[in-house]
Amino acid sequence: REVITKWSENPMVERKNRPTDIKEFLQMQKTPQSKVYALVKDSSKDLQALLKSAHQELKLGNTDPTWMSYVNFTNNLVVSGLGEVVSVGLQYLYEETDRDLIKENDKQPLVEVSLELFGSKVSFKPDVGPSSAKGGGVRDAINRTIGAIMNVGHLMKRFDNPEGGYIRELHANPMVSMMLSVLGESLNDTEDALEELRMSFMEYSYLWETNLDDFFASFVAEATDKTEQGQTFPNLEKFHEALTKYENVREDIAKIASPTDVGHVRVNVVPIKQALKGHVENWITIFLEYLKKLLEDRLGALETLMATSTEGLLTTIDEKSGRAELDGVMRTLREVNGEHEKVQEMFEPLKGTVSLVKKHGVKVDEIKINGKEVLDLLEEAPISWADLVSQSFRKKEEIFDPQKIEQDRIKEEAEVFWNQLRDFRKTFRDNGPFAFQGEVQEAYDQLDAYSVELVKNEQRAAELNATKELYDLPVVDYHDTKSTREELGALKRMWDFKANTNCVYADWKTKLWNEVDTEALDEQNKGILKNLRAMGNENPVMKGWQVYRDVEDAIKNMVVVLPLMNELHNPSMRPRHWAMLARICGVKSIDPSNPKFILNDIMCLNLHLYTDDVSETVETATKELKIETKLAAIEKNWAVIELGYGPSRSSPDIKAIKPGEEVVEGLDADQMELQTIFGMGKFMEFFKDKVILWQEALGLMSDTLSVWETVTRGWSSLEPIFLTSEDIRSQLPDDTKRFEGIHNEFVELMKDACNTSNCREALTVDGRCAQLAAMNTKIILCQKSLNDYLDVKKTIYPRFYFVSAVALLDMLANGTNPPKIMPYLGDCYDALADCKFIDDEEGPDGKSNKTVDTMVAKDKETCPMSEPFTMQGEVENYLNALTEAMMQSLKALMADACDTAAMWDAPGTQLPREDWLFKYCCQNDLTTTQIYWTTETTTALEEYESGQEDAVKKYLALCNDRLNKLILLVLRDLEPSDRVKIITLITMDVHSRDVVDKCIQEKTEGPGTFLWQQQLRFYWQESTMDCSIKICDFQTLYFYEWVGNTGRLVITPLTDRCYITLAQALGMFFGGAPAGPAGTGKT
């Protein structure tokens, strides 16, 4: 313990009394670190020796618990000592880096850095943040120092594992962890403050980031004023504001204190201040230099003007003087007179400029122009200029007479030139290449000659005008030269356009015919025409020139020819069509198949002269190709289409034709195609024989197929009747014999046909169509006799009209076998679909095949018959008897239902309505409910009429009670058929309840009122077991046709109106058909 305590007597960090740079700081730490490292290493050896000695004396094993406890105790002492060493070092470092502690103890910063401007970035040198690029920053130095402190954990070897150290325990030490955290926060706080310092200098970033030249150019454009004479001068107020702004910036930068201490870092800001000062000086300088240069340029130009003008006015003009001397004096006078106003207005702005630059520190006495100071020059200039102007007036009077003589001479020269110019203009208009139709180069030669002459005339015109202006003569606008120049330029462009067009067309002509993309050429040609017209619109005079019309005609001809060429590229063109085209164009032959055939060969035909004939030829070729293609497709299709055969419906061992959709649709489509082709007139002439041949063939195929299918259907329908039905054979012996002949002939025909699968071959056999037509005639006779026989049966049992002829024949054929009749009952009755035969041990499958006792509806509802019914005799007779048995059974059930329904609401009843409804079929339940509702409502209305005011209300309460019980019932688990029945009853009860409620609301006075009479009412006649149905003045008896468990839709007021309307129509022996939108109650 005494050894370990010595480790932490001195911290592993030390510093000087002043800030140092990073290298010096790190070098300084090596001494204290080395001392502690040596002390720990030596202690490690001593402690290892002591522990080894103790282990030998105690004579304990390495795994002995006592020895392991002692080793752990020793390890803990070492960990504690090492933790103290690290904590002392970190504490010292924290006290030297924490901003608050440094300020409180008035300590000097630990290290020193500088803040500098590197390019466009303000940065610390060295860096102050973590993980600097080269690892040489302030934070890196602190981290290296911390790492050296923590490294003591590696110097001490563990007692329990000589290969290990205590670095992990140091990191887990609470005191060490806390000091590392606090130290990190302190360093982050200082770095944030340093970043704020750096960002404070970024406020001046515009000084180095802005492009000074671009900014100043933009500033000058905005800070420049224009005078009445068109001169530009700087806006001195804006220049003053700008200069003041940047001078203030310079002062602000100078006031920044240096150095600046931020926590443990001293920042030298002198480098950044010097850089900023240099930039702001550049900004100030560019403004001042611009103003100085303005002074030098303007005053220098004025000095030069006055010197040259003074010299020019000193020239003596007399009789011996020539034109040149007089021109020089006149030029000087003109220059002085022209510059007078500008010179006068420049003095004040220049004086203001001198004052401004002087105010901003420029020594104006150092600004010299031609050796004179700018202030002296500004004072002398107005006086000197006034003297010069006075001198010019005197000189002008002196040369008045020579000037007059020279003016007359100039006028004569101008008159002569004017006539020469008009002659040149006339020659150009008459002889220029406006209508020239020769080679382009010849036209260019003419244009060059005229251009040379025109340039000479333009130069002479310019010289004369300059002389006139010099001698105060009016200047003439030689518009002939301008017009000629414009026309000459336009004519040159026109010939250039013609030359380019000719080159394009010449290139086209060399293209091989098979490689020509005429559509692309047509688009290019349209572009050429568009450019020509744009040129003409820009200069309308061009449109009157013959050269313009020649080019336009050539392009238009090509506009016509190229589409014709495109049409001639049509693959439909055959040699006969090219021969036709050769005759039209008057040439011997045209062979586009020749590999050397080029576009020029077609252009030589002058197709634009035969536009209609060429188009007609191409149209003929196109239409003929379509016809040829269609005929080839028809021939190809019918070469592979098969007729198709399969077992007949009545006798599977006998084959019958089974034509697919492709046969029927193909015949219709191809016949339509041939009809269309035949209607194409002259285009069809080349293929006329072939078209007629196919028309006849397809017509025969269609007729044969149609009669064949008719015969097949007739034979299939009659075969089981005449060959298997003994009843029919006995009733129609002659027709049976006739059909047997048809049958044998048809079987032989099908045997022969099955050997030919191709449809066309099978349908075009000689005589087959006539043979089938004869067979069809005989089948029609058989069908007529059969239909007459069936009409007799329908008269006996009219419900046979609801059955198809095939089904009826099947029923008649199996009349003696009632089970086979059952599948057809659904066609004869609204609901009846089947009957259950009674048990019979002697019958097939233990069932009778004659007697039934239960009816089955289409919705699978069953209804018992009042007594077993036996089916025997003719089918039409026992089906009539079955209909009567059905009605009697329903009538008996209705009578029983009406009797039991009387006990619905009786006290202690064993069969309440909610149980009663399961006893009967749906039709009986609904009708009985309607009967009792009618009776009970009538009774309630009669009682109300007799003075019992609450009679109807009591009955309404009873209706609601019955309805609620049904609603509760439908919430239970029910069979689907029972659920449908109950929901139907609820639907009817809701309507009935609403009618009763309406009677109460409208205070119906008795059963005779219209509100009650308009309802559909059911009355039971117990004596006859009939149900009478009434609505308004219409009355009928219930028919007892079984309808099954079909359900009902909601009854609306519109439904009630339909009941009334339809009932009235029936009463007047009319019918009715509800019509209207969906949801209005038609169903």
Side-chain angles (χ1 to χ4, degrees):
R1 189 183 299 272
E2 293 177 0
V3 173
I4 293 173
T5 305
K6 294 180 181 180
W7 297 348
S8 56
E9 290 179 353
N10 296 307
M12 294 177 67
V13 184
E14 65 180 18
R15 58 158 298 169
K16 291 185 178 181
N17 292 329
R18 60 175 178 79
T20 62
D21 59 27
I22 299 301
K23 291 182 179 179
E24 186 177 356
F25 172 77
L26 291 174
Q27 186 66 30
M28 190 187 310
Q29 308 314 314
K30 292 182 179 180
T31 299
Q33 290 170 5
S34 299
K35 291 179 181 179
V36 176
Y37 284 174
L39 184 60
V40 172
K41 287 181 178 179
D42 293 341
S43 300
S44 176
K45 294 177 181 178
D46 294 341
L47 292 174
Q48 289 286 350
L50 289 173
L51 191 64
K52 184 175 182 181
S53 175
H55 186 250
Q56 291 174 354
E57 291 179 5
L58 294 175
K59 297 180 180 180
L60 297 174
N62 288 335
T63 58
D64 188 279
T66 303
W67 176 249
M68 291 179 66
S69 298
Y70 181 72
V71 172
N72 288 336
F73 172 74
T74 308
N75 278 334
N76 291 336
L77 289 177
V78 172
V79 170
S80 177
L82 292 175
E84 185 66 21
V85 172
V86 173
S87 297
V88 169
L90 294 178
Q91 178 66 29
Y92 182 88
L93 198 57
Y94 170 70
E95 292 174 354
E96 295 297 330
T97 57
D98 184 73
R99 293 176 64 196
D100 294 336
L101 291 175
I102 293 172
K103 184 177 181 181
E104 180 180 343
N105 299 322
D106 194 21
K107 292 184 177 182
Q108 290 288 321
L110 198 61
V111 294
E112 182 176 12
V113 299
S114 62
L115 187 60
E116 301 180 15
L117 179 63
F118 296 97
S120 61
K121 185 177 181 182
V122 177
S123 303
F124 290 99
K125 183 179 180 182
D127 198 0
V128 297
S131 302
S132 60
K134 297 181 180 179
V138 175
R139 185 65 174 265
D140 297 310
I142 301 296
N143 288 339
R144 286 171 64 181
T145 303
I146 295 172
I149 295 172
M150 296 293 293
N151 195 45
V152 297
H154 292 292
L155 301 177
M156 188 73 182
K157 294 183 178 180
R158 298 183 66 89
F159 298 128
D160 54 356
N161 182 11
E163 300 300 327
Y166 294 94
I167 192 68
R168 181 180 299 176
E169 284 76 1
L170 285 179
H171 282 288
N173 187 291
M175 188 63 184
V176 173
S177 298
M178 182 193 72
M179 288 307 303
L180 287 173
S181 176
V182 171
L183 182 57
E185 292 176 1
S186 174
L187 294 173
N188 290 337
D189 180 56
T190 302
E191 289 164 5
D192 291 342
L194 289 168
E195 178 63 16
E196 291 179 7
L197 176 63
R198 191 187 71 84
M199 291 304 297
S200 67
F201 284 93
M202 289 299 294
E203 295 177 2
Y204 303 104
S205 61
Y206 65 91
L207 292 175
W208 64 81
E209 289 180 350
T210 304
N211 186 297
L212 186 53
D213 293 334
D214 293 345
F215 172 81
F216 187 71
S218 176
F219 173 81
V220 170
E222 295 179 0
T224 299
D225 297 332
K226 195 171 185 179
T227 65
E228 294 180 357
Q229 296 299 320
Q231 297 186 95
T232 57
F233 290 96
N235 187 312
L236 299 180
E237 184 178 349
K238 291 183 178 180
F239 269 82
H240 174 63
E241 290 178 359
L243 285 167
T244 302
K245 171 186 174 183
Y246 295 116
E247 287 171 353
N248 292 336
V249 171
R250 180 174 59 189
E251 292 176 5
D252 292 341
I253 294 171
K255 292 177 183 179
I256 298 174
S258 178
T260 300
D261 292 342
V262 181
H264 63 282
V265 180
R266 171 164 289 175
V267 183
N268 179 13
V269 297
V270 171
I272 185 67
K273 288 178 62 178
Q274 291 176 344
L276 294 180
K277 184 178 179 181
H279 282 291
V280 77
E281 288 293 346
N282 291 338
W283 282 72
I284 295 172
T285 300
I286 195 171
F287 283 88
L288 293 176
E289 288 298 324
Y290 175 80
L291 295 175
K292 287 168 62 179
K293 189 174 186 306
L294 177 72
L295 287 171
E296 294 171 353
D297 292 345
R298 296 294 176 89
L299 290 175
L302 178 60
E303 183 74 10
T304 302
L305 174 63
M306 290 192 295
T308 55
S309 298
T310 300
E311 183 180 355
L313 293 176
L314 293 176
T315 304
T316 303
I317 302 299
D318 52 22
E319 295 178 355
K320 297 180 179 180
S321 300
R323 172 77 172 271
E325 288 83 357
L326 183 59
D327 286 351
V329 173
M330 291 300 297
R331 195 173 291 110
T332 300
L333 291 174
R334 181 185 174 194
E335 188 172 8
V336 171
N337 185 55
E339 295 294 325
H340 178 64
E341 295 295 334
K342 294 182 180 180
V343 171
Q344 286 294 106
E345 74 175 5
M346 78 165 56
F347 293 128
E348 287 302 322
L350 292 179
K351 289 179 181 179
T353 304
V354 171
S355 177
L356 179 61
V357 297
K358 183 178 180 181
K359 184 177 181 179
H360 288 281
V362 177
K363 296 179 181 180
V364 294
D365 55 353
E366 295 180 357
I367 304 176
K368 295 184 178 182
I369 300 171
N370 297 328
K372 298 180 181 179
E373 293 184 7
V374 68
L375 289 175
D376 295 339
L377 192 58
L378 272 176
E379 291 178 1
E380 297 172 359
I383 299 172
S384 300
W385 179 256
D387 293 341
L388 181 63
V389 171
S390 299
Q391 186 179 356
S392 69
F393 285 133
R394 291 193 297 270
K395 194 66 176 180
K396 189 172 184 180
E397 293 176 357
E398 179 182 336
I399 64 170
F400 178 77
D401 292 336
Q403 179 183 354
K404 182 65 176 173
I405 295 171
E406 195 63 31
Q407 285 178 341
D408 294 339
R409 187 181 299 115
I410 292 171
K411 289 180 181 179
E412 292 176 0
E413 292 177 1
E415 184 66 25
V416 172
F417 177 70
W418 177 265
N419 292 330
Q420 292 176 353
L421 196 60
R422 297 198 62 179
D423 292 342
F424 171 73
R425 171 73 175 162
K426 185 175 184 306
T427 302
F428 174 71
R429 293 289 296 172
D430 294 343
N431 301 325
F434 294 97
F436 184 69
Q437 294 184 337
E439 294 297 326
V440 175
Q441 187 58 47
E442 295 180 17
Y444 279 157
D445 294 340
Q446 294 182 33
L447 291 174
D448 289 342
Y450 284 115
S451 178
V452 170
E453 187 68 22
L454 178 60
V455 169
K456 294 179 180 179
N457 290 333
E458 288 173 340
Q459 291 175 349
R460 179 58 180 157
E463 293 173 358
L464 279 174
N465 277 335
T467 304
K468 286 182 177 182
E469 187 177 6
L470 187 63
Y471 283 88
D472 294 333
L473 291 175
V475 176
V476 177
D477 182 14
Y478 295 101
H479 59 271
D480 282 351
T481 58
K482 293 182 180 179
S483 300
T484 304
R485 171 59 65 190
E486 291 174 358
E487 291 181 359
L488 187 64
L491 190 58
K492 174 65 166 56
R493 292 194 298 275
M494 189 65 251
W495 277 99
D496 288 342
F497 191 91
K498 182 175 182 179
N500 291 334
T501 304
N502 290 343
C503 289
V504 171
Y505 288 168
D507 179 62
W508 289 1
K509 291 178 180 179
T510 61
K511 294 181 180 294
L512 292 175
W513 173 252
N514 292 330
E515 298 176 358
V516 171
D517 184 355
T518 50
E519 292 183 357
L521 297 184
D522 189 38
E523 288 297 321
Q524 187 177 354
N525 192 63
K526 289 178 181 178
I528 295 173
L529 181 59
K530 182 179 179 181
N531 293 336
L532 176 67
R533 288 175 175 169
M535 186 184 298
N537 293 333
E538 183 180 350
N539 192 345
V541 177
M542 283 185 177
K543 295 182 179 179
W545 299 344
Q546 184 61 43
V547 62
Y548 179 93
R549 292 194 292 270
D550 291 344
V551 175
E552 186 178 33
D553 290 344
I555 298 174
K556 286 183 177 179
N557 289 340
M558 195 63 72
V559 168
V560 176
V561 170
L562 286 174
L564 294 176
M565 291 182 181
N566 187 45
E567 293 178 1
L568 291 174
H569 265 95
N570 197 310
S572 62
M573 292 291 290
R574 298 289 185 266
R576 64 179 182 274
H577 302 124
W578 288 106
M580 187 186 304
L581 183 63
R583 291 194 297 273
I584 292 172
C585 297
V587 297
K588 185 176 181 181
S589 63
I590 302 173
D591 185 13
S593 61
N594 188 336
K596 295 183 179 180
F597 193 76
I598 60 176
L599 190 64
N600 188 50
D601 296 332
I602 291 293
M603 288 186 173
C604 292
L605 298 177
N606 295 322
L607 296 179
H608 60 281
L609 301 177
Y610 314 103
T611 303
D612 294 339
D613 294 335
V614 173
S615 298
E616 184 177 355
T617 300
V618 174
E619 183 185 9
T620 300
T622 304
K623 295 291 180 63
E624 288 182 355
L625 177 62
K626 290 181 179 179
I627 294 173
E628 183 180 350
T629 303
K630 290 178 181 179
L631 290 175
I634 291 173
E635 187 170 358
K636 180 180 179 181
N637 288 341
W638 290 109
V640 297
I641 293 178
E642 296 184 353
L643 180 59
Y645 304 96
S648 64
R649 181 169 55 86
S650 57
S651 298
D653 56 330
I654 300 176
K655 296 285 186 179
I657 59 171
K658 301 288 183 180
E661 292 183 1
E662 61 177 354
V663 175
V664 179
E665 293 176 358
L667 281 172
D668 292 341
D670 290 345
Q671 283 182 302
M672 187 67 69
E673 287 285 359
L674 290 171
Q675 188 64 31
T676 303
I677 292 172
F678 203 82
M680 294 175 71
K682 62 180 181 179
F683 304 113
M684 187 269 300
E685 288 299 325
F686 187 77
F687 305 96
K688 184 175 181 180
D689 295 340
K690 194 171 185 179
V691 172
I692 294 174
L693 176 65
W694 270 106
Q695 277 187 323
E696 292 175 352
L698 292 179
L700 176 61
M701 290 166 63
S702 180
D703 294 341
T704 304
L705 180 63
S706 176
V707 69
W708 201 337
E709 288 180 323
T710 303
V711 169
T712 300
R713 287 194 299 270
W715 172 82
S716 297
S717 63
L718 296 179
E719 192 258 353
I721 297 172
F722 282 101
L723 297 185
T724 60
S725 176
E726 295 299 329
D727 178 67
I728 298 299
R729 293 174 66 85
S730 61
Q731 295 293 332
L732 302 172
D734 294 338
D735 293 290
T736 299
K737 185 176 180 180
R738 183 186 298 113
F739 183 77
E740 288 175 348
I742 296 171
H743 174 73
N744 295 331
E745 187 178 0
F746 181 79
V747 171
E748 290 298 322
L749 172 66
M750 290 309 305
K751 287 181 180 179
D752 179 59
C754 288
N755 296 324
T756 305
S757 61
N758 183 265
C759 183
R760 180 185 177 188
E761 295 176 1
L763 295 177
T764 55
V765 173
D766 289 342
R768 179 160 291 175
C769 185
Q771 180 185 7
L772 289 169
M775 293 172 63
N776 189 44
T777 301
K778 297 176 183 178
I779 288 175
I780 291 172
L781 293 176
C782 294
Q783 287 177 333
K784 184 177 184 304
S785 299
L786 181 62
N787 288 334
D788 293 341
Y789 173 72
L790 294 179
D791 287 342
V792 174
K793 299 294 183 180
K794 291 177 182 178
T795 302
I796 299 172
Y797 184 64
R799 291 178 187 256
F800 276 155
Y801 282 104
F802 302 145
V803 182
S804 66
V806 175
L808 176 56
L809 290 170
D810 192 31
M811 293 176 71
L812 293 174
N814 296 287
T816 57
N817 189 3
K820 290 190 176 181
I821 302 298
M822 294 301 104
Y824 300 108
L825 289 182
D827 296 334
C828 299
Y829 295 93
D830 184 30
L832 182 61
D834 196 4
C835 291
K836 291 185 179 181
F837 290 86
I838 63 174
D839 296 333
D840 185 357
E841 296 179 356
E842 297 179 359
D845 299 328
K847 294 285 186 178
S848 171
N849 62 351
K850 297 289 186 179
T851 304
V852 298
D853 62 353
T854 303
M855 298 180 292
V856 180
K858 295 174 182 177
D859 52 43
K860 305 306 178 185
E861 184 187 40
T862 60
C863 180
M865 303 184 74
S866 57
E867 59 183 18
F869 176 78
T870 300
M871 302 180 189
Q872 55 187 6
E874 299 294 333
V875 62
E876 63 272 19
N877 293 327
Y878 68 67
L879 286 178
N880 275 327
L882 178 63
T883 303
E884 184 62 26
M886 174 187 70
M887 293 180 177
Q888 291 301 324
S889 297
L890 288 173
K891 184 179 289 188
L893 288 172
M894 186 76 76
D896 185 65
C898 288
D899 290 341
T900 56
M903 304 301 294
W904 279 352
D905 304 305
T909 178
Q910 298 297 318
L911 195 63
R913 183 173 181 243
E914 57 270 20
D915 295 331
W916 169 86
L917 62 87
F918 291 106
K919 184 178 179 181
Y920 304 98
C921 62
C922 181
Q923 183 173 352
N924 291 125
D925 289 344
L926 290 174
T927 308
T928 302
T929 298
Q930 288 297 96
I931 290 171
Y932 269 83
W933 172 73
T934 302
T935 303
E936 291 169 349
T937 304
T938 302
T939 302
L941 290 172
E942 289 174 348
E943 291 175 352
Y944 177 79
E945 188 178 18
S946 300
Q948 190 173 343
E949 294 183 357
D950 61 344
V952 182
K953 293 181 179 179
K954 288 181 178 180
Y955 181 60
L956 177 62
L958 178 62
C959 290
N960 284 326
D961 181 62
R962 291 174 178 173
L963 180 60
N964 291 334
K965 290 179 179 178
L966 289 180
I967 293 173
L968 292 174
L969 183 61
V970 83
L971 296 176
R972 289 163 40 187
D973 291 334
L974 299 170
E975 293 293 330
S977 59
D978 291 336
R979 185 173 297 278
V980 172
K981 180 196 300 186
I982 297 171
I983 290 175
T984 305
L985 281 170
I986 291 174
T987 302
M988 301 301 296
D989 278 6
V990 168
H991 177 256
S992 301
R993 187 270 315 271
D994 291 344
V995 171
V996 174
D997 184 58
K998 190 173 183 180
C999 290
I1000 296 173
Q1001 298 299 326
E1002 298 190 9
K1003 298 181 180 180
T1004 304
E1005 297 180 353
T1009 58
F1010 181 72
L1011 180 60
W1012 175 243
Q1013 292 296 317
Q1014 71 176 356
Q1015 304 301 322
L1016 190 63
R1017 309 183 308 281
F1018 290 72
Y1019 297 92
W1020 177 248
Q1021 299 175 7
E1022 188 174 356
S1023 59
T1024 60
M1025 289 196 302
D1026 284 327
C1027 178
S1028 177
I1029 304 173
K1030 299 180 181 180
I1031 183 170
C1032 296
D1033 60 350
F1034 174 77
Q1035 178 177 346
T1036 186
L1037 291 177
Y1038 191 72
F1039 192 61
Y1040 290 107
E1041 173 79 15
W1042 191 27
V1043 297
N1045 187 6
T1046 57
R1048 291 286 296 271
L1049 297 178
V1050 176
I1051 301 174
T1052 65
L1054 186 58
T1055 312
D1056 288 333
R1057 292 179 62 185
C1058 289
Y1059 287 167
I1060 296 172
T1061 305
L1062 294 173
Q1064 294 299 312
L1066 290 174
M1068 293 181 287
F1069 302 100
F1070 290 114
T1080 55
K1082 299 188 299 298
T1083 305

